[in-house]
Amino acid sequence: MAPLLKIINTVKFHNKLKKEDIMLATYPKSGTTWFRFILANIISYIDFDSKYSIDYETLNGSFRCSYDSKDISEINYESIPRFFATHRPYSALRFNRYKSVYILRNPGDVMISFYHYNKSLKNPYTKCASLKEFIRDEKVGIKKWCFHVNSWVNKANVILTYEGMKKNAFSEIKTMFDTLGIIINDNAINYSIEKSDFKLIKNMEKKIGMDKKAKEKHKEGYLFARKGQTNQWKEYLDEDDIQYINSYIKKTTLSSLKINYLLVK
């Protein structure tokens, strides 16, 4: 895309954003898609009497709100504000005027999930022959994760953890909405969590696949909903990897939030 056209499209996109929009910030493979399924199912339940069946095509089509790809939902709804997903690090120039939610996930698990995701791409972010190499890569590895985390954790209005959501999704989602001043019926939250269960999403993907755009990006046979587990790093990382990751985690500001992601077998 020509630089001038890119600038024009960016300006047009920003002009369509509203002050009540919320930024949903994550490092890749931290639970963004799962969280977006929950939001979409809340919208379906409240605004459309559950008439929308939320699959990948719907989620990444008419329901899609993405800051990074400048996508705005084609669906008009009133139950919740628009949540714009972004993997960008925090920038006051970009994000200071909006409320934001940041989702954290154990970096050991992120590295493994992101490594498999990267391998599936026809045009990968980086070419790494092994997980060990991926963890140490300047573009995508643990140093990049730490930079991203440090940029957001003291700026976001709400911090969620993937592990907390796996343990008690209702409590995490309810607390988030309360903190943001958004009133949502408990039934809607419970419904959306049930409809967004990882096993249901995975079975749906096996049955009908990902959306068309995703299929074009990925090699044949890739499943976006791979495992969705916590602490999978214990199976994949050796002691050298653990020490390397921990050396960078210690440099983050997470300890001030009482979030301990140091890897200990």
Side-chain angles (χ1 to χ4, degrees):
M1 183 182 295
L4 180 58
L5 183 57
K6 188 175 181 180
I7 292 171
I8 292 172
N9 287 340
T10 299
V11 171
K12 286 182 178 179
F13 170 72
H14 278 268
N15 286 340
K16 293 178 181 179
L17 295 179
K18 305 173 184 177
K19 63 180 181 179
E20 61 267 25
D21 289 333
I22 296 171
M23 295 297 134
L24 172 62
T26 60
Y27 195 74
K29 306 308 293 179
S30 297
T32 319
T33 300
W34 177 31
F35 190 84
R36 289 176 57 231
F37 264 106
I38 293 173
L39 294 177
N41 276 303
I42 286 175
I43 295 166
S44 176
Y45 181 86
I46 298 177
D47 294 85
F48 304 104
D49 296 323
S50 306
K51 291 178 182 177
Y52 275 100
S53 178
I54 309 300
D55 55 21
Y56 280 107
E57 199 66 56
T58 307
L59 186 72
N60 292 322
S62 54
F63 271 76
R64 183 176 176 83
C65 283
S66 170
Y67 183 91
D68 298 351
S69 58
K70 302 179 181 62
D71 291 318
I72 297 178
S73 174
E74 300 169 5
I75 304 296
N76 293 318
Y77 50 87
E78 299 179 354
S79 55
I80 60 175
R82 300 182 303 185
F83 282 72
F84 282 84
T86 180
H87 292 317
R88 291 180 180 273
Y90 181 83
S91 162
L93 183 63
R94 293 180 183 276
F95 302 122
N96 190 48
R97 61 181 290 216
Y98 309 105
K99 289 182 179 180
S100 57
V101 174
Y102 189 64
I103 302 178
L104 280 162
R105 186 184 184 187
N106 184 294
D109 291 338
V110 170
M111 291 295 104
I112 294 163
S113 185
F114 198 7
Y115 169 68
H116 285 286
Y117 177 85
N118 185 66
K119 278 178 60 179
S120 78
L121 294 171
K122 294 175 182 177
N123 295 301
Y125 291 99
T126 185
K127 294 183 179 180
C128 294
S130 65
L131 174 60
K132 188 175 289 289
E133 187 179 337
F134 187 86
I135 290 168
R136 291 158 177 78
D137 189 273
E138 295 286 336
K139 293 181 181 178
V140 294
I142 189 62
K143 288 173 68 175
K144 196 73 171 182
W145 181 88
C146 290
F147 173 78
H148 198 276
V149 167
N150 281 337
S151 77
W152 272 106
V153 291
N154 293 310
K155 301 295 183 181
N157 298 90
V158 178
I159 302 289
L160 297 176
T161 68
Y162 183 85
E163 295 76 23
M165 289 177 62
K166 292 288 283 187
K167 187 176 181 180
N168 191 337
F170 177 86
S171 177
E172 294 289 297
I173 299 298
K174 178 70 173 175
T175 300
M176 177 202 71
F177 281 131
D178 288 346
T179 302
L180 294 172
I182 302 168
I183 300 173
I184 296 293
N185 184 285
D186 288 357
N187 290 336
I189 298 175
N190 281 319
Y191 170 88
S192 67
I193 291 169
E194 181 182 333
K195 288 293 184 178
S196 306
D197 180 78
F198 183 82
K199 290 181 180 178
L200 291 179
I201 294 173
K202 189 168 185 176
N203 288 336
M204 174 192 67
E205 185 177 350
K206 286 181 178 179
K207 185 176 180 180
I208 63 177
M210 296 184 291
D211 56 284
K212 184 179 178 181
K213 288 183 179 179
K215 289 176 181 177
E216 292 172 354
K217 286 171 54 179
H218 291 274
K219 299 172 185 175
E220 189 174 349
Y222 175 71
L223 285 177
F224 190 89
R226 197 177 65 88
K227 288 189 175 182
Q229 297 175 345
T230 58
N231 290 323
Q232 59 179 314
W233 62 267
K234 292 181 179 181
E235 302 175 31
Y236 290 88
L237 304 183
D238 61 27
E239 193 59 35
D240 182 52
D241 293 330
I242 291 170
Q243 289 183 14
Y244 183 83
I245 289 173
N246 282 342
S247 71
Y248 282 98
I249 295 175
K250 290 174 183 177
K251 298 175 184 178
T252 68
T253 56
L254 289 177
S255 59
S256 64
L257 301 175
K258 297 182 180 179
I259 297 174
N260 183 11
Y261 273 143
L262 288 174
L263 307 184
V264 180
K265 282 191 175 181

